[in-house]
Amino acid sequence: MAKLHSHKFKGIGASSGISIAKVFKLVEQKIEISDEKVKNIDAEVKLFHDGVKKSVKQIEKIKKLATKLAKDELEILDAHILIATDPVLEDDTINLIKQGYSAAYSLKETAKNHTNFLLETGDEYLMARASDIKDASQRIIKNILNLNILDLSTIDTDIIIVADDLKPSDTAQLNEFVKGFATNIGSKTSHSAIMARSLEIPAILGIGNILEKVENGDIIAMNGDLGQGIINPNEQEISEFKIQKENFEREKAKLKEFLYKKSTSFDGKKVVIAANIGSVEDAFAAKKVNADEIGLFRSEFLYMDKQNWPTEDEQFLSYKTVLENLRPKKVIVRTLDIGGDKTLKYFDFSKEMNPFLGYRAIRLSLDKVEIFKTQLRAIVRASEFGNIAIMFPMIATLDEFFAAKAIFEEVYTEIYAKNPRIAKRENIKIGIMIEIPISAILAEKFAEHVDFFSIGTNDLIQYSFAADRMNEKVAYLYQTLNPGLLKLIKMTIDSAHKKGKWVGMCGEMAGDINAIPLLLGLGLDEFSVSASSVLKVKKLISELNYHQMEQVAKKALEFATEKEVIKYLESVNLIRHN
Ligand code: PEP
Ligand code: MG
């Protein structure tokens, strides 16, 4: 029901754009299933069978509606139908019902036994089957209990998603009808923000209580730059948003004049303005804005998008498509950076106290060597089709780098023996992400061994300030202009340059209009930003004088607080408010 009065809200503007659309609440349902005995056994058996039938029908419908589903996604839906109608699962469930348990409880227990058995095998394929059983039985249980089931990929009218938080696995299944996100939790560098920027839709995160304030079907008007929105706007407010939208589109169109301009500062210092991508589609967006190269290909999105570990061939095809389309431009593929907030449907991450400090990224790859090798084989094979570079995420020690590189060399030798047309070994550059403070401090030593650095400020800031990047309550500690952080960046850049290596930045700070003058002055070689920011960054850099910025950066490093740095930047007219 539409509310009578409009209601304003404010949060962190995490992705630009203006949208007006209906609310779609994405709520994770908690399912409580009791083990109390039931009286009418026949009724429970019927409930179970009806639940199965309804689930099969739903899956068939998704298959029909979601025409864009990839082959493996269709296969997985077929697998779900097979599981739902599996006679062993049925027999075991009905046996439990006959002992007096409810249909939902009996299926939950049966599915648990089956999945535990598979998980214990330690076999990758069987473990993935376990996650299919979990998914398929969850659907049947929800149907038995008459709960709503959300299938994001089948949305077919314009909506704005309102949620407590959006998991990367939710965002991976969104389609073109999603016009914006508004969430209780999150900040500029959470992955839902990054995803919104790559989809070029507005996002307002960290609002605190938006989910509780709206109903499905309410209208939201939102401005992702300002981080402001209105629930059920009146006519006048709607026309104001429409005007804002027209202005936004006009500004965007004006940036097109920078498409073929060189990426240089006003006084001619050349830099590289690259794009961050997470999919083949993003690569096309990067091509459209003529990004100089791909500074970060977040390969984990290829994994999150799937129902099972992507095979070597599937990955190879994605990398090959990106490389062929961007050739001769360089594409830096970051090896799997999973863990933290980025989880997989088909892999059981054990519960951790601090997932961002835990089993993720290169730590997982070095532990699950076969998964790592599969990815490296796909990357090395794809090197035949363009200009590829590799970087390892979350490197904390030189030992980790040496271990990862040794595995790469082994894979390279193996593939080269089969296909000498792949890129020459010396043409595949290998770099690391600098996103853990200790590796910035030791950058001088790393620089002797790596080909390049890419500074991941999203994590570097969270680890330097010990402030969770997802938590809006500590967002005040997310200080991009803090002199301490600037020192870590300077250390990294200077150490690399001393050894003749280049340094990029692929964290969100690289697209921050107030940080760019300092980064240019500190000598950053490459700015890697979302495709939607490439032209904006190019325009800004073309207006800055590198030699002046060198002096500005030097001065900024002398201050003690971020506030002082901002005050100083304001005094030299370098702070812009959007
Ligand atoms: C970063 O940490 O800055 C980065 C680019 O990696 P991600 O955001 O994927 O963690
Ligand atoms: Mg990171």
Side-chain angles (χ1 to χ4, degrees):
M1 275 288 287
K3 286 175 186 152
L4 286 176
H5 298 293
S6 61
H7 179 89
K8 294 199 165 104
F9 64 88
K10 193 163 169 33
I12 299 168
S15 174
S16 26
I18 288 142
S19 282
I20 306 171
K22 268 193 190 154
V23 166
F24 179 95
K25 284 175 86 167
L26 186 67
V27 188
E28 184 99 26
Q29 287 169 313
K30 278 216 172 66
I31 311 179
E32 308 248 339
I33 301 173
S34 124
D35 61 354
E36 258 175 55
K37 296 269 178 146
V38 293
K39 291 211 177 77
N40 191 341
I41 296 207
D42 289 346
E44 294 299 317
V45 171
K46 183 169 179 330
L47 270 177
F48 171 68
H49 283 136
D50 289 350
V52 170
K53 268 188 228 149
K54 197 167 167 190
S55 303
V56 172
K57 261 199 199 147
Q58 284 167 346
I59 302 172
E60 298 284 8
K61 192 170 159 202
I62 298 172
K63 280 178 61 184
K64 266 199 213 119
L65 276 175
T67 47
K68 286 200 331 196
L69 285 184
K71 195 169 141 267
D72 64 329
E73 284 165 299
L74 282 172
E75 277 169 12
I76 214 78
L77 290 173
D78 286 332
H80 282 194
I81 293 180
L82 283 179
I83 292 163
T85 52
D86 175 28
V88 183
L89 195 82
E90 180 184 354
D91 282 353
D92 290 356
T93 307
I94 290 185
N95 272 338
L96 266 181
I97 297 178
K98 285 188 174 152
Q99 291 170 36
Y101 294 105
S102 70
Y105 180 80
S106 303
L107 176 57
K108 186 187 99 178
E109 287 302 299
T110 306
K112 196 162 81 189
N113 290 339
H114 284 224
T115 51
N116 282 348
F117 171 74
L118 294 173
L119 288 174
E120 273 162 23
T121 61
D123 178 282
E124 245 172 62
Y125 175 77
L126 294 177
M127 285 163 76
R129 306 308 302 155
S131 108
D132 288 345
I133 295 180
K134 210 159 126 189
D135 272 8
S137 56
Q138 279 284 2
R139 174 181 291 280
I140 305 173
I141 290 172
K142 283 186 183 164
N143 280 324
I144 291 173
L145 299 172
N146 228 349
L147 298 171
N148 281 336
I149 295 175
L150 300 173
D151 282 302
L152 284 180
S153 56
T154 59
I155 289 171
D156 58 359
T157 51
D158 285 357
I159 51 140
I160 286 172
I161 292 190
V162 178
D164 186 46
D165 185 18
L166 268 172
K167 293 197 287 301
S169 57
D170 294 326
T171 51
Q173 14 161 353
L174 300 178
N175 61 26
E176 69 273 19
F177 293 106
V178 178
K179 299 297 177 199
F181 305 155
T183 64
N184 284 357
I185 302 180
S187 66
K188 271 189 198 230
T189 56
S190 43
H191 286 99
S192 43
I194 292 166
M195 191 58 139
R197 283 195 287 273
S198 103
L199 292 169
E200 295 196 40
I201 56 173
I204 306 179
L205 311 184
I207 302 164
N209 56 359
I210 183 83
L211 186 61
E212 294 73 21
K213 290 219 168 114
V214 295
E215 301 296 339
N216 277 326
D218 280 349
I219 301 287
I220 279 187
M222 62 191 284
N223 181 327
D225 277 310
L226 304 176
Q228 289 170 1
I230 305 183
I231 304 166
N232 294 322
N234 59 35
E235 266 172 38
Q236 192 198 333
E237 287 164 333
I238 289 183
S239 43
E240 277 164 20
F241 267 85
K242 283 191 175 153
I243 293 170
Q244 285 179 21
K245 192 170 167 65
E246 277 162 23
N247 290 340
F248 175 81
E249 300 297 342
R250 201 172 312 120
E251 286 300 312
K252 208 165 129 185
K254 267 210 283 194
L255 285 173
K256 290 227 171 84
E257 69 181 82
F258 284 87
L259 258 178
Y260 300 104
K261 291 206 169 137
K262 289 222 156 54
S263 307
T264 51
S265 68
F266 189 70
D267 52 345
K269 158 125 165 107
K270 195 162 170 14
V271 293
V272 172
I273 301 175
N276 293 343
I277 64 169
S279 64
V280 174
E281 290 77 29
D282 287 355
F284 287 112
K287 192 175 176 181
K288 235 167 84 186
V289 293
N290 198 20
D292 294 329
E293 59 187 42
I294 302 298
L296 166 65
F297 185 167
R298 285 186 166 92
S299 66
E300 55 276 11
F301 282 94
L302 300 179
Y303 291 69
M304 290 190 307
D305 216 8
K306 295 262 185 280
Q307 309 291 338
N308 207 334
W309 292 107
T311 62
E312 181 186 318
D313 280 344
E314 280 173 327
Q315 291 192 61
F316 164 72
L317 199 62
S318 302
Y319 303 138
K320 176 173 178 271
T321 312
V322 172
L323 285 165
E324 280 178 334
N325 276 286
L326 286 155
R327 197 163 48 189
K329 292 175 179 174
K330 184 167 63 192
V331 175
I332 304 175
V333 177
R334 176 175 74 182
T335 62
L336 183 60
D337 182 5
I338 207 74
D341 64 331
K342 293 181 280 196
T343 53
L344 300 172
K345 285 181 214 140
Y346 47 87
F347 181 73
D348 235 353
F349 286 88
S350 49
K351 254 218 154 353
E352 294 179 298
M353 295 292 281
N354 293 297
F356 272 109
L357 301 181
Y359 186 59
R360 59 174 294 208
I362 199 68
R363 302 163 186 192
L364 189 143
S365 293
L366 291 176
D367 184 46
K368 300 250 174 269
V369 175
E370 272 318 309
I371 287 168
F372 192 35
K373 281 188 176 169
T374 303
Q375 174 168 43
L376 291 172
R377 280 192 197 104
I379 293 174
V380 171
R381 279 173 57 201
S383 71
E384 185 184 344
F385 301 94
N387 181 358
I388 205 167
I390 300 178
M391 68 180 165
F392 301 127
M394 296 277 298
I395 293 285
T397 68
L398 255 173
D399 293 332
E400 282 175 335
F401 173 69
F402 291 144
K405 185 158 178 273
I407 297 171
F408 167 79
E409 302 294 0
E410 188 191 322
V411 166
Y412 183 87
T413 310
E414 172 200 321
I415 305 279
Y416 184 78
K418 289 187 215 150
N419 179 10
R421 290 184 309 278
I422 58 169
K424 291 214 164 53
R425 171 60 193 88
E426 64 273 22
N427 290 339
I428 304 181
K429 301 293 178 210
I430 300 190
I432 60 167
M433 301 268 305
I434 296 285
E435 45 189 347
I436 300 182
I438 200 77
S439 56
I441 294 166
L442 217 56
E444 209 178 313
K445 300 293 176 200
F446 279 102
E448 286 174 22
H449 303 280
V450 305
D451 292 320
F452 64 91
F453 290 141
S454 184
I455 307 176
T457 47
N458 306 342
D459 280 316
L460 184 63
I461 299 175
Q462 87 163 339
Y463 299 136
S464 299
F465 290 83
D468 187 340
R469 65 195 262 188
M470 303 292 290
N471 187 338
E472 72 285 358
K473 293 210 176 76
V474 295
Y476 77 98
L477 283 169
Y478 223 83
Q479 300 186 0
T480 32
L481 300 177
N482 183 294
L485 179 76
L486 298 176
K487 276 191 181 157
L488 286 175
I489 294 171
K490 179 177 162 50
M491 241 180 204
T492 308
I493 296 174
D494 291 350
S495 306
H497 287 176
K498 250 191 234 156
K499 299 276 187 265
K501 311 287 165 74
W502 63 267
V503 183
M505 179 178 286
C506 58
E508 298 306 303
M509 183 175 173
D512 179 336
I513 48 177
N514 294 323
I516 288 171
L518 292 175
L519 297 173
L520 179 72
L522 289 171
L524 190 72
D525 302 293
E526 178 227 49
F527 297 71
S528 196
V529 298
S530 63
S532 58
S533 301
V534 163
L535 295 177
K536 208 161 59 184
V537 173
K538 203 192 254 189
K539 174 172 186 284
L540 174 55
I541 289 181
S542 76
E543 292 162 358
L544 295 169
N545 183 310
Y546 166 62
H547 287 99
Q548 274 172 13
M549 292 312 115
E550 261 189 311
Q551 297 313 311
V552 168
K554 208 165 156 195
K555 179 89 187 147
L557 281 160
E558 288 170 11
F559 295 106
T561 66
E562 186 187 50
K563 270 201 193 111
E564 288 170 6
V565 173
I566 293 175
K567 209 166 132 204
Y568 165 65
L569 291 178
E570 269 166 353
S571 75
V572 289
N573 270 331
L574 283 171
I575 288 284
R576 291 168 176 78
H577 302 279
N578 277 308

